[in-house]
Amino acid sequence: DTAVSQTPKYLVTQMGNDKSIKCEQNLGHDTMYWYKQDSKKFLKIMFSYNNKELIINETVPNRFSPKSPDKAHLNLHINSLELGDSAVYFCASSPGWRKNSYNEQFFGPGTRLTVL
Amino acid sequence: DAKTTQPPSMDCAEGRAANLPCNHSTISGNEYVYWYRQIHSQGPQYIIHGLKNNETNEMASLIITEDRKSSTLILPHATLRDTAVYYCIVRDYSGGGADGLTFGKGTHLIIQP
């Protein structure tokens, strides 16, 4: 059983388009995240949601809008795609706000976005 | 979060123990040491974490110095599948939390046949 899944795995699109990446976790976790890994392989947090509420928004352009319809899903919608948005996007989940929890994060397989 | 320093790359022979060092000299009292790894084209994977004591699980051992300023991740019998980038992350989880992980450049461990 896949713990954290993302679709699609690959996404190739033109500049200016709008696209979405979906993420689902079946671990019963309260917290979900989006990370971006650029061409230099740096992995950076973009957003985190706890129980469907936004917790972190790390200076990400407002063209990026996460949406959490329920605790198990955190989708990433990107408007007006730019060349610099090309990267691998990883979704992750963790148990969330629990006292003394070490909060291991489980990552999805990633979505490779290429903007032409 | 405290900053970490790791060597950019290391080689290890298959079947031998791989020892990956991490320096975190500015670590504070309630910060844990976490290790994740990222195998090529996959998402990062949690390995182990610790606060003060040495820790061992089915994947690895974590040795933390008494002053907590450095640590070593040990893969006891490295296999080719252990080739990956290994990230040492220092994180405050004294109250749980939904904060993201701060990944550095990590150590690219290459297991040689």
Side-chain angles (χ1 to χ4, degrees):
Chain A
D1 288 342
T2 303
V4 182
S5 60
Q6 296 179 228
T7 53
K9 188 168 176 59
Y10 300 97
L11 184 54
V12 180
T13 188
Q14 299 286 333
M15 277 176 55
N17 284 350
D18 302 339
K19 290 293 179 185
S20 293
I21 306 172
K22 296 185 177 181
C23 178
E24 177 181 3
Q25 55 96 1
N26 62 7
L27 298 166
H29 287 166
D30 292 335
T31 307
M32 296 184 72
Y33 312 80
W34 277 107
Y35 288 82
K36 177 181 179 180
Q37 187 165 39
D38 61 24
S39 58
K40 295 182 179 179
K41 302 297 185 184
F42 287 115
L43 196 58
K44 292 184 179 179
I45 182 71
M46 299 174 69
F47 300 101
S48 83
Y49 267 71
N50 189 68
N51 275 321
K52 297 169 43 180
E53 291 188 20
L54 178 66
I55 304 298
I56 293 175
N57 178 348
E58 287 285 337
T59 32
V60 176
N62 57 14
R63 298 182 295 104
F64 291 79
S65 54
K67 287 187 170 49
S68 182
D70 55 59
K71 231 171 59 166
H73 296 84
L74 182 62
N75 303 323
L76 184 64
H77 189 76
I78 315 170
N79 289 329
S80 303
L81 278 156
E82 301 177 357
L83 293 176
D85 297 332
S86 294
V88 181
Y89 292 85
F90 289 99
C91 177
S93 74
S94 71
W97 296 96
R98 297 179 187 177
K99 191 176 176 66
N100 296 325
S101 166
Y102 63 84
N103 238 357
E104 170 189 348
Q105 292 191 17
F106 294 79
F107 285 79
T111 295
R112 181 173 294 277
L113 171 64
T114 303
V115 182
L116 303 174
Chain B
D1 294 341
K3 184 177 177 179
T4 62
T5 305
Q6 299 177 252
S9 65
M10 291 181 64
D11 287 353
C12 179
E14 188 178 18
R16 305 297 291 265
N19 298 286
L20 292 93
C22 180
N23 184 291
H24 32 78
S25 58
T26 60
I27 192 170
S28 63
N30 59 354
E31 288 181 317
Y32 288 73
V33 180
Y34 291 75
W35 284 83
Y36 281 74
R37 72 180 182 183
Q38 186 175 23
I39 296 170
H40 181 62
S41 297
Q42 297 183 22
Q45 175 191 24
Y46 165 84
I47 301 173
I48 199 167
H49 76 285
L51 182 62
K52 295 180 183 178
N53 300 321
N54 298 337
E55 302 288 344
T56 295
N57 63 19
E58 64 278 5
M59 288 182 68
S61 294
L62 175 60
I63 308 298
I64 303 174
T65 58
E66 192 170 342
D67 63 7
R68 303 209 323 123
K69 293 185 177 182
S70 65
S71 60
T72 301
L73 178 74
I74 301 172
L75 307 178
H77 306 287
T79 70
L80 297 178
R81 288 176 294 180
D82 292 321
T83 293
V85 178
Y86 287 76
Y87 297 98
C88 171
I89 300 168
V90 173
R91 201 72 182 90
D92 178 359
Y93 273 139
S94 58
D99 294 346
L101 296 168
T102 301
F103 289 85
K105 297 180 182 179
T107 296
H108 187 193
L109 175 67
I110 300 172
I111 306 301
Q112 304 283 0

